[in-house]
Amino acid sequence: MKDNSVPLKLVALLADGEFHSGEQLGEALGMSRAAINKHIQTLKSWGLDVYTVTGKGYSLPAPIQLLNEADILSHLHQPDLDVIPVIDSTNQYLLDRMDQLPSGHACIAEYQQAGRGRRGRKWFSPFGSNLYLSMYWRLEQGPAAAMGLSLVIGIVMAEVIQSLGAPDVRVKWPNDLYLNDRKLAGILVELTGKTGDAAQIVMGAGVNLVMRSEGASEINQGWINLQEAGVEINRNELAAKIINHLREALPIFERDGLAPFVERWDALDNFINRPVKLLIGDREVHGIARGIDKQGGLLLEQEGEVKSWVGGEISLRPGN
């Protein structure tokens, strides 16, 4: 594993958004200006914009709030948290350690080198811009009992973000958060376990907080961040609240399934009563979204008849 301690100290010095000369930084870190420049290149490779101005030095475009493990832990009801600034993937980190972890163990990162989205897509994860969070959970009832789990995670995250000052955040079936009809966050649930055995589950989430559009060209759909919507949220508080609320909601889901969450979903559903198209493989199904059923299936109305669908992805029909 590469030692990232120097670039991380450098970020901490630049986090105030002010200009710092190469000489000042070199003195603070006990190295030459040439060495500082080399570490600046590492920061750029992590997705940080670092301005270099002759005579002034280096600066970030704006101050950034770094994750603070002690601060997050002080707000958690149970500790079980790893804060790892630079990681391949928070989900993979937990998947590799599942056998030693208690349910509810979480991992947060500043930057993912190999963040994953659904269907094998890459999750764009620039340093310090967003929240990258994963949690492990063991479901004793087995894999079948996990149906609808991504919906519960979406509900919890949307309610937390609303409570922190973004009342218009909504959920999108089966595992995204939306704001102003654009993607704000994504959820990835990875599950192992055979029928008859307990299911080992890792749930990952990425929330766009202040991600800039430069460098995000690889995202293949309309997205938004909270800053653009005029909402400033403390990342450490957000992380702690999501972890606490998930740890409270998941035992309820384990005991009662999705039933207690259906009304909460309907209140948050970005697409309810709107014309949508459902894409399942090469097939396109058009209808009016009518919420979800107790198994987590999408209810779609076509010609007066409501039918439940369990796979695929939805989007608004053009013109709506």
Side-chain angles (χ1 to χ4, degrees), residues 4 16 87 94 102 122 149 160 174 214 226 272:
N4 291 306
D16 59 7
I87 202 169
L94 295 180
K122 188 179 176 203
L149 177 61
V160 165
E214 301 92 59
L226 286 173
I272 200 160

Side-chain angles (χ1 to χ4, degrees), residues 138-265:
R138 182 182 164 93
L139 267 183
E140 295 299 337
Q141 304 97 314
M147 279 282 285
L149 177 61
S150 67
L151 306 182
V152 174
I153 301 163
I155 291 165
V156 168
M157 286 175 55
E159 288 175 345
V160 165
I161 297 171
Q162 283 192 353
S163 76
L164 292 172
D168 298 328
V169 172
R170 298 285 178 265
V171 289
K172 178 198 176 196
W173 183 89
N175 46 14
D176 288 332
L177 299 192
Y178 262 47
L179 179 59
N180 302 345
D181 279 339
R182 288 187 284 160
K183 183 168 175 170
L184 176 72
I187 295 158
L188 174 68
V189 176
E190 299 189 88
L191 183 150
T192 60
K194 300 190 288 290
T195 308
D197 289 345
Q200 307 243 65
I201 297 167
V202 171
M203 307 155 269
V207 186
N208 299 334
L209 297 181
V210 297
M211 183 164 68
R212 294 153 65 86
S213 52
E214 301 92 59
S217 53
E218 55 203 86
I219 302 173
N220 63 356
Q221 60 181 296
W223 60 274
I224 191 170
N225 66 42
L226 286 173
Q227 187 181 56
E228 189 185 331
V231 179
E232 279 195 33
I233 286 182
N234 180 306
R235 276 201 306 158
N236 296 304
E237 184 183 1
L238 175 63
K241 277 201 157 188
I242 289 176
I243 292 168
N244 280 335
H245 284 256
L246 280 175
R247 288 171 177 170
E248 287 163 14
L250 291 170
I252 297 169
F253 173 72
E254 216 168 342
R255 189 186 68 224
D256 301 328
L258 198 58
F261 296 93
V262 172
E263 270 187 38
R264 285 163 71 180
W265 176 274

Side-chain angles (χ1 to χ4, degrees), residues 63-135:
I64 61 170
Q65 180 188 55
L66 297 171
L67 292 172
N68 183 318
E69 185 170 359
D71 188 12
I72 299 168
L73 282 168
S74 73
H75 291 95
L76 291 184
H77 303 152
Q78 75 180 68
D80 300 323
L81 170 72
D82 296 319
V83 177
I84 301 169
V86 176
I87 202 169
D88 284 344
S89 148
T90 53
N91 263 31
Q92 193 58 50
Y93 175 85
L94 295 180
L95 287 166
D96 291 342
R97 291 160 178 77
M98 288 190 302
D99 296 340
Q100 306 119 54
L101 300 177
S103 276
H105 193 100
C107 173
I108 311 173
E110 293 279 17
Y111 167 62
Q112 295 186 111
Q113 292 165 314
R116 294 203 292 274
R118 287 181 73 216
R119 303 175 189 274
R121 296 172 187 142
K122 188 179 176 203
W123 186 268
F124 183 63
S125 311
F127 188 101
S129 301
N130 304 321
L131 180 66
Y132 316 115
L133 183 155
S134 295
M135 182 180 286

